[in-house]
């Protein structure tokens, strides 16, 4: 079978892989759709410190069960499923305290281990989530939305609070949906008017184009500042902006990570007595919450998905995203297409 492989920074091509068979405790999944993630783009650009080459990317998965390994009885062939793509050690502090998403030995599909941008994969049965009641395409949106939902969980966002979401890419839109589900007022910020329009149509209460004075615009809308700022860009400017604009005693959550060290005026942390929290990956409950949310918002996928390409078109689609990242919110690869 064919797979998309990032051979080295700037070079992705189709390669041949052997068709896998499930071992004991595993499930074989025929892949229908895989989404390109921001980590795939950084890997393609040579900016992902966690990846080694060559690497098959892909961990935003929609598929159907093809076969069951010995001892697996909870699934049936033909079920539509997604996958929790994080593999944790089970013994570190994060794992033993109920936060395996932050495992110090974490291996994510498509990053530290081979991903799903191919015809069939095998994974432990415990990583498989059956999903019904959603279009098969939209199952590939569950994992990236779950990352956003987890950031909302980390923020402790309460009904009636105001949150500023910095960045309306895929993860930022997941934050938006999670924050709306939590009953918050959402202010979405991005450089792209097109992405802000998507945010508005998904339910954002206000939108701000980041080409202007974001701090002034947020202050005009909130007074002293928002209760929570969630950063989903991973840039120095937005890292600093989050701390600057959040209300005194507010909370800042970082999902993206900047590619270089950032110099803060740490006095701000103390004088404003703010909480700064990181957010990594997602928990099973976040996946379940996203599934419920997408079922309640059946048009969300149509707004979020920018392009669907075949596997043959996947290298060119990745190169196009690299050349103009602002033009796409979510690219899906249809592994069933010729």
């Amino acid at each position: 079978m064919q797979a998309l492989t990032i051979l080295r920074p700037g070079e992705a091509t189709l390669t041949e892989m052997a068709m896998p068979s499930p071992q004991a405790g595993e499930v074989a999944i025929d892949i229908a759709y895989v989404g390109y993630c921001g980590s795939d783009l950084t890997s393609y650009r040579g900016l992902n410190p966690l990846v080694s080459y060559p690497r098959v990317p892909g961990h935003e998965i929609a598929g159907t069960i093809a076969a069951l390994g010995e001892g697996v009885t909870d699934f049936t062939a033909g079920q539509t499923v997604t996958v929790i793509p994080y593999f944790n050690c089970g013994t570190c502090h994060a794992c033993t305290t109920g936060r395996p998403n932050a495992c110090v030995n974490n291996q994510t599909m498509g990053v530290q281990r081979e991903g799903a941008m191919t015809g069939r994969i095998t994974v432990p049965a415990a990583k498989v989530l059956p999903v019904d009641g959603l279009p098969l395409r939209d199952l590939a949106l569950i994992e990236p939305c779950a990352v956003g939902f987890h950031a909302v969980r980390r923020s402790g966002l309460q009904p009636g609070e105001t949150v500023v979401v910095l960045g309306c890419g895929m993860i930022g839109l997941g934050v938006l949906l999670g924050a709306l589900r939590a009953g918050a007022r959402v202010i979405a910020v991005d450089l792209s008017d097109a992405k802000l329009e998507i945010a508005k149509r998904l339910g954002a209460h206000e939108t701000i184009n980041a080409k202007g004075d974001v701090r002034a615009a947020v202050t005009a809308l909130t007074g002293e500042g928002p209760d929570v700022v969630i950063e989903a860009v991973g840039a120095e400017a937005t890292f600093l902006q989050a701390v600057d604009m959040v209300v005194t005693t507010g909370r800042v959550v970082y999902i993206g990570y900047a590619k270089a060290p950032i110099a803060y005026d740490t006095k701000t942390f103390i004088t404003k007595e703010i909480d700064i929290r990181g957010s990594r990956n997602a928990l099973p409950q976040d996946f379940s919450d996203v599934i419920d949310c997408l079922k309640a918002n059946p048009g969300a996928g149509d707004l979020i998905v920018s392009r669907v390409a075949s596997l043959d078109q996947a290298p060119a689609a990745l190169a196009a995203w690299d050349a103009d990242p602002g033009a796409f919110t979510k690219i899906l690869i249809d592994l069933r297409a010729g």
Side-chain angles (χ1 to χ4, degrees):
M1 61 182 184
Q2 288 191 310
L4 177 79
T5 301
I6 301 174
L7 298 177
R8 58 188 61 85
E11 184 177 354
T13 190
L14 299 185
T15 58
E16 291 293 328
M17 292 183 63
M19 182 76 72
S21 298
Q23 303 302 303
E26 290 185 336
V27 173
I29 300 171
D30 283 338
I31 302 300
Y33 296 92
V34 177
Y36 272 137
C37 172
S39 64
D40 300 326
L41 181 58
T42 56
S43 295
Y44 181 73
R45 290 174 164 177
L47 300 175
N48 189 342
L50 303 177
V51 76
S52 58
Y53 302 94
R55 177 65 67 221
V56 176
H59 56 255
E60 302 173 358
I61 298 167
T64 57
I65 292 179
L68 306 176
E70 181 183 351
V72 178
T73 59
D74 295 337
F75 304 100
T76 58
Q79 276 185 296
T80 55
V81 298
T82 190
V83 172
I84 300 176
Y86 324 121
F87 289 72
N88 61 296
C89 70
T91 59
C92 71
H93 179 74
C95 288
T96 58
T97 54
R99 295 168 70 175
N101 58 298
C103 172
V104 296
N105 301 303
N106 174 75
Q107 291 192 342
T108 296
M109 293 177 65
V111 183
Q112 296 96 338
R113 60 169 59 204
E114 298 292 46
M117 200 72 74
T118 188
R120 178 177 292 185
I121 62 170
T122 57
V123 295
K127 299 294 182 182
V128 180
L129 288 179
V131 184
D132 56 18
L134 284 176
L136 186 56
R137 177 202 65 180
D138 289 0
L139 271 61
L141 305 179
I142 294 172
E143 190 276 341
C145 282
V147 173
F149 271 52
H150 187 69
V152 172
R153 181 187 300 276
R154 290 284 293 141
S155 76
L157 194 62
Q158 299 298 309
E161 288 190 316
T162 296
V163 57
V164 168
V165 182
L166 297 176
C168 294
M170 181 67 244
I171 302 302
L173 294 179
V175 173
L176 165 65
L177 292 171
L180 291 172
R181 193 170 188 269
R185 173 193 179 194
V186 181
I187 302 171
V189 181
D190 200 277
L191 288 165
S192 166
D193 286 332
K195 290 184 178 181
L196 290 173
E197 179 61 25
I198 293 171
K200 186 181 298 183
R201 293 177 67 184
L202 287 174
H205 297 90
E206 289 97 10
T207 60
I208 298 171
N209 191 298
K211 294 174 184 174
D213 188 335
V214 175
R215 171 67 184 275
V218 169
T219 299
L221 291 171
T222 63
E224 290 188 53
D227 303 284
V228 173
V229 178
I230 299 181
E231 198 279 347
V233 178
E236 178 180 5
T238 46
F239 262 63
L240 296 172
Q241 199 173 62
V243 169
D244 183 50
M245 75 170 60
V246 73
V247 73
T248 299
T249 72
R251 289 101 68 198
V252 171
V253 178
Y254 292 122
I255 312 174
Y257 60 86
K259 308 307 182 285
I262 295 173
Y264 285 95
D265 179 359
T266 55
K267 180 181 69 175
T268 306
F269 302 168
I270 298 163
T271 57
K272 294 177 75 169
E273 199 175 56
I274 57 177
D275 292 342
I276 298 178
R277 304 172 185 176
S279 183
R280 185 181 187 190
N281 297 333
L283 292 166
Q285 185 60 52
D286 301 311
F287 281 75
S288 296
D289 291 345
V290 169
I291 292 168
D292 290 343
C293 177
L294 291 179
K295 287 181 178 179
N297 295 274
D302 292 334
L303 293 173
I304 292 170
V305 175
S306 307
R307 178 182 176 186
V308 178
S310 67
L311 183 60
D312 288 345
Q313 298 166 333
L318 183 55
W321 190 24
D322 175 45
D324 188 7
F328 303 95
T329 300
K330 176 54 61 182
I331 300 172
L332 297 183
I333 304 303
D334 185 347
L335 275 298
R336 307 164 305 168

